[in-house]
């Protein structure tokens, strides 16, 4: 029930800008705490241990009030509190912001919108590169931003979704293989891998089930997911590549280096603007199917 309420509220209204301007967002609150701990604790010896301690502080700060509030207020109110921790509408909005100019052949606007959702350098990217980066972001974040939070809400309620978002935010801020964070963020990165293991595969299943070509989509996921640098992101990305009959991943440019990543569904063609539009349609159907599954679980649970 908590997961279903959160998803319905997010799909209906997202996180309104006036509310964000007034109080911010729980993820930004977590981010501020992580940044403060990074400055205070990421120094001296035993960086791995210090990073583990910092991660546990952040997770505890998220879980403890969530557990108290759920016990005090009950599942209906807990569902409302879980609402900002699901990002289904936000992800759709950000990807539509890329799709619109890309479909209109406005590459400068499409590059600007794509730069808001990916970390790679897209200043000179052409249509296939922009479509590829956006579809990859949509596929990975369908897991990280939607299915994984819902999964942990189903398993552990409001404390579960709060813990997951804390872990995911830790990974996004300190879980990088950089000189500063390779040791300090190692625990957070491994924990994020563990908590996303099953949700990533469930996301791939949902994408395949709603793709219109489930056999091809799931075959691509099973064949190519393990080639991805991430133990989890390759599953929804490869499933989407198979669903669209395009290739994803491959070489990409970051600020200071070129990452020579393997292709997913590499024998297929490059994606274009129309494929991003198709990917959004699959994503919406996958989220709808997840919502229907949650509704069924709510209905059958009393029996």
């Amino acid at each position: 029930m908590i997961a279903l309420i959160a998803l319905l509220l997010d799909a209906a209204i997202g996180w309104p800008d006036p509310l964000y301007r007034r109080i911010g967002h729980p993820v930004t609150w977590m981010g501020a705490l992580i940044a403060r701990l990074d400055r205070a604790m990421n120094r001296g010896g035993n960086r791995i241990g210090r990073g583990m301690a910092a991660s546990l502080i952040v997770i505890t700060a998220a879980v403890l009030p969530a557990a108290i509030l759920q016990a005090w207020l009950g599942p209906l109110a807990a569902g409302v509190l879980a609402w900002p921790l699901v990002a289904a509408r936000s992800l759709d909005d950000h990807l539509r912001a890329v799709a619109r100019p890309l479909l209109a052949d406005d590459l400068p606007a499409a590059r600007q919108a794509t730069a808001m959702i990916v970390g790679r350098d897209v200043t000179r990217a052409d249509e296939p590169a922009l479509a590829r980066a956006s579809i990859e972001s949509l596929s990975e974040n369908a897991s990280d931003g939607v299915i994984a939070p819902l999964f942990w809400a189903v398993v552990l309620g409001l404390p579960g979704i709060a813990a997951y978002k804390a872990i995911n935010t830790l990974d996004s801020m300190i879980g990088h293989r950089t000189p500063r964070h390779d040791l300090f963020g190692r625990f957070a990165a491994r924990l994020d891998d563990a908590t996303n293991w099953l949700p990533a595969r469930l996301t791939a299943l949902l994408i395949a089930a709603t793709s219109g070509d489930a056999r091809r989509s799931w075959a691509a996921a099973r064949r190519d997911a393990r080639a991805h640098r991430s133990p989890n992101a390759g599953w929804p990305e490869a499933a989407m590549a198979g669903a669209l009959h395009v290739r994803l991943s491959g070489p990409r440019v970051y600020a200071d280096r070129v990452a020579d990543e393997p292709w997913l569904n590499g024998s297929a063609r490059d994606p274009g603007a129309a494929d991003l539009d198709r990917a959004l349609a699959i994503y919406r159907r996958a989220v709808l199917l997840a919502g229907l599954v949650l509704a069924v679980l709510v209905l059958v649970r009393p029996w």
Side-chain angles (χ1 to χ4, degrees):
M1 186 180 294
I2 291 169
L4 182 61
I5 291 170
L7 178 59
L8 290 174
L9 283 171
D10 177 71
I13 59 177
W15 190 246
D17 286 338
L19 193 59
Y20 179 82
R21 288 193 295 268
R22 181 174 292 272
I23 66 170
H25 188 278
V27 171
T28 65
W29 307 341
M30 294 176 191
L33 176 58
I34 294 166
R36 185 171 182 175
L37 292 171
D38 186 18
R39 291 191 300 268
M41 300 179 67
N42 190 3
R43 61 181 67 176
N46 193 16
R47 296 288 183 97
I48 294 177
R50 287 172 173 267
M52 182 184 298
S55 298
L56 293 176
I57 290 170
V58 174
I59 295 166
T60 302
V63 169
L64 190 58
I68 293 170
L69 288 168
Q70 180 172 310
W72 182 34
L73 299 174
L76 291 175
V80 175
L81 293 172
W83 152 41
L85 302 179
V86 180
R89 188 182 184 97
S90 173
L91 181 57
D92 189 273
D93 289 344
H94 280 89
L95 268 295
R96 281 191 293 113
V98 179
R100 284 193 298 266
L102 204 57
L103 286 165
D105 293 324
D106 186 352
L107 287 183
R111 289 174 184 137
Q112 185 176 7
T114 305
M116 300 293 292
I117 59 172
V118 301
R120 70 192 70 172
D121 183 2
V122 295
T123 53
R124 291 176 291 179
D126 57 7
E127 179 183 321
L130 292 171
R132 188 164 59 245
S134 300
I135 293 169
E136 290 167 18
S137 179
L138 173 66
S139 306
E140 180 179 1
N141 285 291
S143 177
D144 291 1
V146 185
I147 303 305
L150 294 176
F151 173 83
W152 288 108
V154 170
V155 174
L156 295 171
L158 185 60
I161 192 172
Y164 173 77
K165 292 305 290 188
I167 293 166
N168 191 242
T169 307
L170 280 161
D171 179 65
S172 68
M173 292 184 66
I174 65 172
H176 307 293
R177 293 179 180 176
T178 61
R180 177 171 178 80
H181 290 126
D182 184 39
L183 298 178
F184 187 75
R186 187 169 298 180
F187 176 77
R190 298 295 180 269
L191 194 57
D192 184 73
D193 288 344
T195 54
N196 278 298
W197 192 91
L198 185 53
R201 287 146 181 83
L202 291 175
T203 306
L205 278 173
L206 288 167
I207 289 170
T210 56
S211 67
D213 196 344
R215 181 175 296 180
R216 184 191 294 265
S217 176
W218 185 243
R222 291 191 62 188
R223 182 187 66 243
D224 294 340
R226 293 175 181 83
H228 199 280
R229 68 188 184 282
S230 164
N232 297 315
W235 284 88
E237 288 185 26
M240 188 67 82
L244 298 173
H245 306 177
V246 301
R247 63 178 184 172
L248 296 177
S249 194
R252 73 279 306 272
V253 179
Y254 291 96
D256 57 349
R257 62 189 176 90
V258 176
D260 190 16
E261 303 289 346
W263 291 102
L264 304 178
N265 203 33
S267 61
R269 60 179 174 82
D270 282 322
D275 295 304
L276 176 52
D277 214 34
R278 292 170 56 213
L280 274 165
I282 293 171
Y283 162 74
R284 291 166 189 149
R285 293 196 296 267
V287 173
L288 176 60
L289 179 56
L292 292 173
V293 171
L294 291 174
V296 170
L297 290 174
V298 169
L299 291 172
V300 303
R301 185 177 181 273
W303 303 97

